[in-house]
Amino acid sequence: MRRRDGVFRRPARRRFSGGFWWILVGMAILLLIVIFGRERKSRSELSVGQKSYRHEKLMEGFNITEEMLSPHSITRQIGDQISLAKAFVVISKESNNLQFAWELSAQIRNSQVLLSNAATRRAPLSIEESEAAIRDMALLIYQAQQLHYDSATMIMKFKAKIQSLEEDVSALSDKSTKHGQIAAEEVPKSLYCLGVTLTREWYKISSLQQRLPEGKVAEKLEDNNLYHFCVFSDNILATSVVVNSTASNAKHPERIVFHLVTDEVNYAPMKAWFSMNSFRGVTVEVQQIEDFSWLNASYVPVLKQLQDANTQKYYFSNNNDDGKTPIKFRNPKYLSMLNHLRFYIPEVYPALKKVVFLDDDVVVQKDLSPLFSIDLNGNVNGAVETCMETFHRYHKYLNYSHPLIRAHFDPDACGWAFGMNVFDLVEWRNRNVTGIYHYWQERNVDRTLWKLGTLPPGLLTFYGLTEALDPKWHVLGLGYTNVAAQTIANGAVVHFNGNMKPWLKIGMEKYKGLWDKYVDYSHPILQQCNFH
């Protein structure tokens, strides 16, 4: 552009005001802030996401069991310390160092809290959080070692403790056996009352003795077409249960004859009871063992042995054998002729051909008439075998260190049970079985062949002469062990062999109902004697 004075000049630039420039600068800064904020937020979100992902992978991969098994694991180290400390707690208590035991227990709890926290958060323990607990526990374990709580000392202490406990258990077991034997042998007041009351009734009421139809009874007692049972007992109520349960389950009770033998003391009350009670038409004969004149010391080895001073000392002295022989082996009942009368059945009943022998601690649950048609295959004794387990074989009952026993009997021969036996009295007489019994009884005068009861001589006497019966005929064990409910339900005869008889307070409650079922507790005499 030419000026008027003729000089050319550039056009002047248009200038912006200062306020406008500040507006432009502010907008630029704002834009930068927005862009930077978004980038920062994005980075923050990515970081959080990465952390969350890593945490999830850690949670997914962490396993407390694997952590405990790792040789470099802090968790494992603490766990090992706890196990060792627990052992030292026991030892310190045994050593009566109760303060130290308390300190150990407190530190064990602290360490267990650490392990619990690690398991809860599913993350391994760090050195920082566990260092103090490990150090404190290590100090206590070191103190325990200084107190000689080492493994050798621990083993010796435990051995001494075990020996002491075994001695205590043995002493308590002996006491329990003695007390149990005494409880089993005592006569409950109610049974004593029953005997006294019935004796009074027998002599007071003469009509009782007139109720016995002697002629008809005598015919039945020798009729081999009938079913003959024998029971030898001084327990009136127990014998009544045997008779009542047999009659209650019999298809033809009128064909049953019971031959009962008791002692002089219980003869009158036994006769009174069976005279005043009827058992569905069953015939009952009661005899007293004192009337058998042939049963004397010159004929019966057991009675002869009773006259021996050593035998009397063994069974009746409190200072015999220095207490080495268990009390059950010295029970005088094993010398009772009521107990041994089972070996003289053919002589007690000379006219009979077959009988079923029942102990007074059995309950009959089925009809027993089929027993009389069982073929014994020429044997004398029909019995249920008890050798399902090894301890019921002959070696359990007999002394196989004795040459006589070793020479004549197989130690693994199967044992069997007295309590429900079918006896063929014809074969018995032909084989002179009572003579066999006498032979072995005479050789056991010093009790070196066997010690306990009538079963061992029975095993010797009927060796090779016993026919095995179906186990359902005779179920044993209700007086000392648990028996399967189905086995009991299927049993024809259940046997309360053992000390816990159903008429005693020590009887097993769950089986008493089987026996109570055949006791009429509403009977006036039973109520008078407080039976319930």
mmCIF file of all heavy atoms in Angstrom, residues 429-460:
data_model
loop_
_atom_site.group_PDB
_atom_site.id
_atom_site.type_symbol
_atom_site.label_atom_id
_atom_site.label_comp_id
_atom_site.label_asym_id
_atom_site.label_seq_id
_atom_site.Cartn_x
_atom_site.Cartn_y
_atom_site.Cartn_z
ATOM 1 N N ARG A 429 -26.521 -146.822 78.457
ATOM 2 C CA ARG A 429 -26.311 -148.027 79.272
ATOM 3 C C ARG A 429 -25.422 -149.030 78.545
ATOM 4 O O ARG A 429 -24.543 -149.657 79.159
ATOM 5 C CB ARG A 429 -27.662 -148.649 79.624
ATOM 6 C CG ARG A 429 -28.556 -147.736 80.480
ATOM 7 C CD ARG A 429 -29.878 -148.405 80.841
ATOM 8 N NE ARG A 429 -30.766 -147.480 81.559
ATOM 9 C CZ ARG A 429 -31.778 -146.832 80.994
ATOM 10 N NH1 ARG A 429 -32.041 -146.990 79.696
ATOM 11 N NH2 ARG A 429 -32.524 -146.009 81.711
ATOM 12 N N ASN A 430 -25.646 -149.164 77.237
ATOM 13 C CA ASN A 430 -24.839 -150.120 76.470
ATOM 14 C C ASN A 430 -23.362 -149.726 76.446
ATOM 15 O O ASN A 430 -22.484 -150.597 76.459
ATOM 16 C CB ASN A 430 -25.362 -150.219 75.031
ATOM 17 C CG ASN A 430 -26.722 -150.887 74.952
ATOM 18 O OD1 ASN A 430 -27.120 -151.626 75.870
ATOM 19 N ND2 ASN A 430 -27.445 -150.654 73.867
ATOM 20 N N ARG A 431 -23.080 -148.443 76.388
ATOM 21 C CA ARG A 431 -21.689 -147.966 76.315
ATOM 22 C C ARG A 431 -21.081 -147.732 77.698
ATOM 23 O O ARG A 431 -19.912 -147.347 77.787
ATOM 24 C CB ARG A 431 -21.644 -146.641 75.532
ATOM 25 C CG ARG A 431 -22.232 -146.678 74.134
ATOM 26 C CD ARG A 431 -21.392 -147.475 73.150
ATOM 27 N NE ARG A 431 -21.886 -147.320 71.802
ATOM 28 C CZ ARG A 431 -21.398 -146.460 70.921
ATOM 29 N NH1 ARG A 431 -20.402 -145.666 71.260
ATOM 30 N NH2 ARG A 431 -21.895 -146.397 69.706
ATOM 31 N N ASN A 432 -21.844 -147.921 78.757
ATOM 32 C CA ASN A 432 -21.384 -147.674 80.127
ATOM 33 C C ASN A 432 -20.779 -146.276 80.260
ATOM 34 O O ASN A 432 -19.651 -146.084 80.734
ATOM 35 C CB ASN A 432 -20.371 -148.743 80.565
ATOM 36 C CG ASN A 432 -20.016 -148.636 82.050
ATOM 37 O OD1 ASN A 432 -20.817 -148.128 82.854
ATOM 38 N ND2 ASN A 432 -18.839 -149.101 82.416
ATOM 39 N N VAL A 433 -21.524 -145.280 79.835
ATOM 40 C CA VAL A 433 -21.037 -143.905 79.819
ATOM 41 C C VAL A 433 -20.754 -143.395 81.233
ATOM 42 O O VAL A 433 -19.778 -142.665 81.456
ATOM 43 C CB VAL A 433 -22.051 -143.003 79.090
ATOM 44 C CG1 VAL A 433 -21.653 -141.538 79.218
ATOM 45 C CG2 VAL A 433 -22.142 -143.392 77.624
ATOM 46 N N THR A 434 -21.573 -143.787 82.197
ATOM 47 C CA THR A 434 -21.325 -143.352 83.574
ATOM 48 C C THR A 434 -19.985 -143.894 84.068
ATOM 49 O O THR A 434 -19.258 -143.207 84.793
ATOM 50 C CB THR A 434 -22.463 -143.817 84.504
ATOM 51 O OG1 THR A 434 -23.699 -143.271 84.040
ATOM 52 C CG2 THR A 434 -22.225 -143.354 85.928
ATOM 53 N N GLY A 435 -19.633 -145.112 83.649
ATOM 54 C CA GLY A 435 -18.327 -145.678 84.005
ATOM 55 C C GLY A 435 -17.180 -144.873 83.399
ATOM 56 O O GLY A 435 -16.129 -144.694 84.035
ATOM 57 N N ILE A 436 -17.367 -144.378 82.171
ATOM 58 C CA ILE A 436 -16.343 -143.530 81.544
ATOM 59 C C ILE A 436 -16.161 -142.247 82.354
ATOM 60 O O ILE A 436 -15.031 -141.789 82.594
ATOM 61 C CB ILE A 436 -16.751 -143.197 80.093
ATOM 62 C CG1 ILE A 436 -16.826 -144.472 79.255
ATOM 63 C CG2 ILE A 436 -15.768 -142.207 79.474
ATOM 64 C CD1 ILE A 436 -17.387 -144.243 77.860
ATOM 65 N N TYR A 437 -17.274 -141.679 82.777
ATOM 66 C CA TYR A 437 -17.222 -140.468 83.597
ATOM 67 C C TYR A 437 -16.463 -140.733 84.895
ATOM 68 O O TYR A 437 -15.609 -139.928 85.308
ATOM 69 C CB TYR A 437 -18.641 -139.991 83.892
ATOM 70 C CG TYR A 437 -18.756 -139.017 85.040
ATOM 71 C CD1 TYR A 437 -18.273 -137.717 84.922
ATOM 72 C CD2 TYR A 437 -19.338 -139.408 86.249
ATOM 73 C CE1 TYR A 437 -18.372 -136.821 85.985
ATOM 74 C CE2 TYR A 437 -19.444 -138.524 87.303
ATOM 75 C CZ TYR A 437 -18.951 -137.235 87.170
ATOM 76 O OH TYR A 437 -19.049 -136.360 88.222
ATOM 77 N N HIS A 438 -16.744 -141.850 85.548
ATOM 78 C CA HIS A 438 -16.054 -142.189 86.786
ATOM 79 C C HIS A 438 -14.547 -142.309 86.547
ATOM 80 O O HIS A 438 -13.738 -141.850 87.369
ATOM 81 C CB HIS A 438 -16.587 -143.508 87.351
ATOM 82 C CG HIS A 438 -17.910 -143.359 88.025
ATOM 83 N ND1 HIS A 438 -18.641 -144.437 88.493
ATOM 84 C CD2 HIS A 438 -18.650 -142.259 88.320
ATOM 85 C CE1 HIS A 438 -19.775 -144.006 89.038
ATOM 86 N NE2 HIS A 438 -19.787 -142.681 88.945
ATOM 87 N N TYR A 439 -14.146 -142.925 85.443
ATOM 88 C CA TYR A 439 -12.734 -143.122 85.137
ATOM 89 C C TYR A 439 -11.995 -141.785 85.107
ATOM 90 O O TYR A 439 -10.940 -141.631 85.738
ATOM 91 C CB TYR A 439 -12.604 -143.832 83.782
ATOM 92 C CG TYR A 439 -11.183 -143.946 83.286
ATOM 93 C CD1 TYR A 439 -10.361 -144.998 83.706
ATOM 94 C CD2 TYR A 439 -10.644 -142.988 82.412
ATOM 95 C CE1 TYR A 439 -9.047 -145.099 83.256
ATOM 96 C CE2 TYR A 439 -9.334 -143.080 81.963
ATOM 97 C CZ TYR A 439 -8.544 -144.130 82.383
ATOM 98 O OH TYR A 439 -7.245 -144.225 81.945
ATOM 99 N N TRP A 440 -12.539 -140.836 84.381
ATOM 100 C CA TRP A 440 -11.858 -139.543 84.260
ATOM 101 C C TRP A 440 -11.958 -138.713 85.539
ATOM 102 O O TRP A 440 -11.015 -138.008 85.910
ATOM 103 C CB TRP A 440 -12.417 -138.761 83.070
ATOM 104 C CG TRP A 440 -12.043 -139.380 81.762
ATOM 105 C CD1 TRP A 440 -12.844 -140.018 80.884
ATOM 106 C CD2 TRP A 440 -10.713 -139.462 81.221
ATOM 107 N NE1 TRP A 440 -12.128 -140.490 79.805
ATOM 108 C CE2 TRP A 440 -10.812 -140.149 79.995
ATOM 109 C CE3 TRP A 440 -9.462 -139.006 81.637
ATOM 110 C CZ2 TRP A 440 -9.700 -140.405 79.199
ATOM 111 C CZ3 TRP A 440 -8.355 -139.257 80.850
ATOM 112 C CH2 TRP A 440 -8.480 -139.953 79.646
ATOM 113 N N GLN A 441 -13.068 -138.802 86.232
ATOM 114 C CA GLN A 441 -13.225 -138.029 87.470
ATOM 115 C C GLN A 441 -12.231 -138.501 88.524
ATOM 116 O O GLN A 441 -11.650 -137.693 89.261
ATOM 117 C CB GLN A 441 -14.660 -138.188 87.990
ATOM 118 C CG GLN A 441 -15.029 -137.208 89.087
ATOM 119 C CD GLN A 441 -15.186 -135.778 88.590
ATOM 120 O OE1 GLN A 441 -15.849 -135.527 87.594
ATOM 121 N NE2 GLN A 441 -14.559 -134.842 89.271
ATOM 122 N N GLU A 442 -11.984 -139.806 88.578
ATOM 123 C CA GLU A 442 -11.037 -140.342 89.561
ATOM 124 C C GLU A 442 -9.606 -139.917 89.253
ATOM 125 O O GLU A 442 -8.783 -139.784 90.167
ATOM 126 C CB GLU A 442 -11.138 -141.880 89.592
ATOM 127 C CG GLU A 442 -12.414 -142.372 90.257
ATOM 128 C CD GLU A 442 -12.662 -143.857 90.000
ATOM 129 O OE1 GLU A 442 -11.898 -144.444 89.177
ATOM 130 O OE2 GLU A 442 -13.590 -144.414 90.587
ATOM 131 N N ARG A 443 -9.292 -139.695 87.999
ATOM 132 C CA ARG A 443 -7.940 -139.292 87.616
ATOM 133 C C ARG A 443 -7.728 -137.784 87.722
ATOM 134 O O ARG A 443 -6.614 -137.308 87.476
ATOM 135 C CB ARG A 443 -7.632 -139.793 86.208
ATOM 136 C CG ARG A 443 -7.156 -141.238 86.227
ATOM 137 C CD ARG A 443 -7.530 -141.997 84.985
ATOM 138 N NE ARG A 443 -7.173 -143.404 85.183
ATOM 139 C CZ ARG A 443 -7.906 -144.268 85.904
ATOM 140 N NH1 ARG A 443 -9.018 -143.847 86.499
ATOM 141 N NH2 ARG A 443 -7.535 -145.524 86.052
ATOM 142 N N ASN A 444 -8.755 -137.098 88.096
ATOM 143 C CA ASN A 444 -8.627 -135.645 88.252
ATOM 144 C C ASN A 444 -8.723 -135.226 89.717
ATOM 145 O O ASN A 444 -9.082 -134.098 90.025
ATOM 146 C CB ASN A 444 -9.704 -134.928 87.428
ATOM 147 C CG ASN A 444 -9.431 -133.453 87.271
ATOM 148 O OD1 ASN A 444 -8.314 -133.037 86.967
ATOM 149 N ND2 ASN A 444 -10.453 -132.637 87.480
ATOM 150 N N VAL A 445 -8.371 -136.107 90.603
ATOM 151 C CA VAL A 445 -8.474 -135.792 92.024
ATOM 152 C C VAL A 445 -7.567 -134.614 92.385
ATOM 153 O O VAL A 445 -7.870 -133.834 93.312
ATOM 154 C CB VAL A 445 -8.126 -137.043 92.881
ATOM 155 C CG1 VAL A 445 -6.677 -137.456 92.684
ATOM 156 C CG2 VAL A 445 -8.415 -136.782 94.357
ATOM 157 N N ASP A 446 -6.456 -134.472 91.672
ATOM 158 C CA ASP A 446 -5.539 -133.359 91.936
ATOM 159 C C ASP A 446 -5.804 -132.162 91.024
ATOM 160 O O ASP A 446 -5.028 -131.216 90.982
ATOM 161 C CB ASP A 446 -4.086 -133.813 91.778
ATOM 162 C CG ASP A 446 -3.822 -134.426 90.410
ATOM 163 O OD1 ASP A 446 -4.780 -134.532 89.606
ATOM 164 O OD2 ASP A 446 -2.665 -134.808 90.141
ATOM 165 N N ARG A 447 -6.890 -132.228 90.267
ATOM 166 C CA ARG A 447 -7.341 -131.147 89.374
ATOM 167 C C ARG A 447 -6.291 -130.772 88.320
ATOM 168 O O ARG A 447 -6.176 -129.613 87.934
ATOM 169 C CB ARG A 447 -7.734 -129.898 90.184
ATOM 170 C CG ARG A 447 -8.885 -130.124 91.133
ATOM 171 C CD ARG A 447 -9.058 -128.952 92.080
ATOM 172 N NE ARG A 447 -7.874 -128.728 92.890
ATOM 173 C CZ ARG A 447 -7.535 -129.443 93.970
ATOM 174 N NH1 ARG A 447 -8.333 -130.424 94.377
ATOM 175 N NH2 ARG A 447 -6.442 -129.174 94.633
ATOM 176 N N THR A 448 -5.553 -131.754 87.835
ATOM 177 C CA THR A 448 -4.536 -131.483 86.811
ATOM 178 C C THR A 448 -5.058 -131.709 85.393
ATOM 179 O O THR A 448 -4.416 -131.275 84.432
ATOM 180 C CB THR A 448 -3.294 -132.367 87.037
ATOM 181 O OG1 THR A 448 -3.700 -133.741 87.065
ATOM 182 C CG2 THR A 448 -2.600 -131.994 88.337
ATOM 183 N N LEU A 449 -6.190 -132.383 85.239
ATOM 184 C CA LEU A 449 -6.750 -132.596 83.903
ATOM 185 C C LEU A 449 -7.643 -131.431 83.486
ATOM 186 O O LEU A 449 -7.653 -131.014 82.332
ATOM 187 C CB LEU A 449 -7.552 -133.901 83.850
ATOM 188 C CG LEU A 449 -6.819 -135.184 84.239
ATOM 189 C CD1 LEU A 449 -7.713 -136.395 83.997
ATOM 190 C CD2 LEU A 449 -5.520 -135.325 83.472
ATOM 191 N N TRP A 450 -8.413 -130.917 84.432
ATOM 192 C CA TRP A 450 -9.259 -129.742 84.217
ATOM 193 C C TRP A 450 -9.588 -129.138 85.575
ATOM 194 O O TRP A 450 -9.371 -129.749 86.614
ATOM 195 C CB TRP A 450 -10.551 -130.119 83.469
ATOM 196 C CG TRP A 450 -11.551 -130.880 84.299
ATOM 197 C CD1 TRP A 450 -12.506 -130.369 85.127
ATOM 198 C CD2 TRP A 450 -11.677 -132.309 84.404
ATOM 199 N NE1 TRP A 450 -13.229 -131.374 85.734
ATOM 200 C CE2 TRP A 450 -12.734 -132.575 85.296
ATOM 201 C CE3 TRP A 450 -10.992 -133.387 83.824
ATOM 202 C CZ2 TRP A 450 -13.129 -133.870 85.623
ATOM 203 C CZ3 TRP A 450 -11.399 -134.677 84.140
ATOM 204 C CH2 TRP A 450 -12.456 -134.905 85.034
ATOM 205 N N LYS A 451 -10.111 -127.923 85.566
ATOM 206 C CA LYS A 451 -10.403 -127.236 86.819
ATOM 207 C C LYS A 451 -11.878 -126.895 86.992
ATOM 208 O O LYS A 451 -12.399 -126.919 88.090
ATOM 209 C CB LYS A 451 -9.577 -125.949 86.926
ATOM 210 C CG LYS A 451 -8.086 -126.177 87.116
ATOM 211 C CD LYS A 451 -7.360 -124.858 87.308
ATOM 212 C CE LYS A 451 -5.865 -125.055 87.494
ATOM 213 N NZ LYS A 451 -5.558 -125.771 88.747
ATOM 214 N N LEU A 452 -12.540 -126.521 85.902
ATOM 215 C CA LEU A 452 -13.838 -125.857 86.020
ATOM 216 C C LEU A 452 -15.010 -126.759 85.672
ATOM 217 O O LEU A 452 -15.070 -127.321 84.578
ATOM 218 C CB LEU A 452 -13.860 -124.631 85.098
ATOM 219 C CG LEU A 452 -15.168 -123.860 84.978
ATOM 220 C CD1 LEU A 452 -15.536 -123.237 86.319
ATOM 221 C CD2 LEU A 452 -15.052 -122.782 83.920
ATOM 222 N N GLY A 453 -15.940 -126.936 86.620
ATOM 223 C CA GLY A 453 -17.289 -127.409 86.344
ATOM 224 C C GLY A 453 -17.485 -128.796 85.774
ATOM 225 O O GLY A 453 -16.642 -129.681 85.900
ATOM 226 N N THR A 454 -18.622 -128.961 85.117
ATOM 227 C CA THR A 454 -19.030 -130.266 84.588
ATOM 228 C C THR A 454 -18.836 -130.387 83.076
ATOM 229 O O THR A 454 -18.931 -131.491 82.545
ATOM 230 C CB THR A 454 -20.515 -130.512 84.908
ATOM 231 O OG1 THR A 454 -21.288 -129.401 84.429
ATOM 232 C CG2 THR A 454 -20.742 -130.682 86.386
ATOM 233 N N LEU A 455 -18.571 -129.271 82.384
ATOM 234 C CA LEU A 455 -18.390 -129.379 80.941
ATOM 235 C C LEU A 455 -17.120 -130.133 80.564
ATOM 236 O O LEU A 455 -17.174 -131.023 79.697
ATOM 237 C CB LEU A 455 -18.409 -127.993 80.291
ATOM 238 C CG LEU A 455 -18.253 -127.993 78.766
ATOM 239 C CD1 LEU A 455 -19.329 -128.848 78.105
ATOM 240 C CD2 LEU A 455 -18.294 -126.572 78.210
ATOM 241 N N PRO A 456 -15.953 -129.843 81.172
ATOM 242 C CA PRO A 456 -14.760 -130.619 80.803
ATOM 243 C C PRO A 456 -14.930 -132.132 80.984
ATOM 244 O O PRO A 456 -14.623 -132.884 80.051
ATOM 245 C CB PRO A 456 -13.667 -130.040 81.708
ATOM 246 C CG PRO A 456 -14.116 -128.637 81.961
ATOM 247 C CD PRO A 456 -15.612 -128.724 82.069
ATOM 248 N N PRO A 457 -15.424 -132.612 82.140
ATOM 249 C CA PRO A 457 -15.623 -134.064 82.225
ATOM 250 C C PRO A 457 -16.683 -134.557 81.242
ATOM 251 O O PRO A 457 -16.637 -135.696 80.783
ATOM 252 C CB PRO A 457 -16.058 -134.295 83.680
ATOM 253 C CG PRO A 457 -16.556 -132.974 84.155
ATOM 254 C CD PRO A 457 -15.738 -131.957 83.430
ATOM 255 N N GLY A 458 -17.640 -133.680 80.904
ATOM 256 C CA GLY A 458 -18.634 -134.052 79.893
ATOM 257 C C GLY A 458 -17.993 -134.230 78.530
ATOM 258 O O GLY A 458 -18.325 -135.162 77.777
ATOM 259 N N LEU A 459 -17.042 -133.337 78.185
ATOM 260 C CA LEU A 459 -16.344 -133.452 76.906
ATOM 261 C C LEU A 459 -15.552 -134.754 76.834
ATOM 262 O O LEU A 459 -15.483 -135.401 75.783
ATOM 263 C CB LEU A 459 -15.407 -132.260 76.711
ATOM 264 C CG LEU A 459 -16.067 -130.878 76.597
ATOM 265 C CD1 LEU A 459 -15.013 -129.788 76.508
ATOM 266 C CD2 LEU A 459 -16.997 -130.808 75.396
ATOM 267 N N LEU A 460 -14.940 -135.137 77.967
ATOM 268 C CA LEU A 460 -14.199 -136.398 78.011
ATOM 269 C C LEU A 460 -15.145 -137.600 77.943
ATOM 270 O O LEU A 460 -14.909 -138.552 77.212
ATOM 271 C CB LEU A 460 -13.364 -136.473 79.288
ATOM 272 C CG LEU A 460 -12.332 -135.362 79.529
ATOM 273 C CD1 LEU A 460 -11.557 -135.642 80.802
ATOM 274 C CD2 LEU A 460 -11.381 -135.245 78.361
#
